[in-house]
Amino acid sequence: MIAVMEEKGIDRITVSDLTDKADINRGTFYLHYTDAADMVRQVKEEIWDGLKQRLEKLNPVDYPKYAARNEPYPLVLQVVEYYGEHTDFFRVILGPKGSPFLCSSD
C-alpha cells in the first residue's frame, strides 16, 4: 500500500494497484477489505491507535526525574521507536501524495 501511495497518491489507489503490487488475487483482498479506501482507512486507524497507546502512557511529571539523571524518558523512546518502525507510512501519509488527516477517514 505504501509503495502504491507513493506512486499514485492516496486518493488514486485502486484495488487492482494493490493486488498487483502485493501479488494476490482480488478475492483475497475482498476477504479483508471492501475497497482500496477501506484498506487505507484500516491501516491508518491501526497506526494511529498504536501511536495513541504510546502517547497516552506519557506522564510529564516523570520527565524531570529522568532529565535530572541525564537519562532518556523510556516512554518517549517508545514513541520515537514507533515512528521509526513506521517511517515509510508516516513519510508517505504526511507527504505531498498522502493525507494530513492521519486519524480521520478523509
Side-chain angles (χ1 to χ4, degrees), residues 4 12 14 16 23 42 45 49-50 67 69 77-79 92:
V4 174
R12 298 180 58 213
T14 66
S16 293
D23 196 27
Q42 285 187 43
E45 284 179 8
D49 287 344
R69 295 190 307 246
L77 288 177
Q78 289 178 12
V79 171
V92 172

Side-chain angles (χ1 to χ4, degrees), residues 30-76:
Y30 286 116
L31 288 174
H32 303 281
Y33 309 103
T34 57
D35 56 22
D38 181 47
M39 180 183 186
V40 171
R41 181 190 56 75
Q42 285 187 43
V43 170
K44 284 171 61 176
E45 284 179 8
E46 181 181 318
I47 301 285
W48 179 246
D49 287 344
L51 181 59
K52 281 194 326 187
Q53 288 172 12
R54 285 155 183 81
L55 291 172
E56 288 170 352
K57 293 178 185 176
L58 296 177
N59 184 352
V61 173
D62 292 336
Y63 298 170
K65 297 173 195 174
Y66 288 91
R69 295 190 307 246
N70 201 27
E71 295 177 5
Y73 182 33
L75 298 178
V76 169

Side-chain angles (χ1 to χ4, degrees), residues 2-32:
I2 302 285
V4 174
M5 283 173 53
E6 268 185 307
E7 293 169 17
K8 297 189 81 172
I10 195 168
D11 296 329
R12 298 180 58 213
I13 296 173
T14 66
V15 172
S16 293
D17 295 331
L18 295 167
T19 56
D20 290 348
K21 190 63 115 178
D23 196 27
I24 61 171
N25 67 48
R26 292 173 71 87
T28 301
F29 178 90
Y30 286 116
L31 288 174
H32 303 281

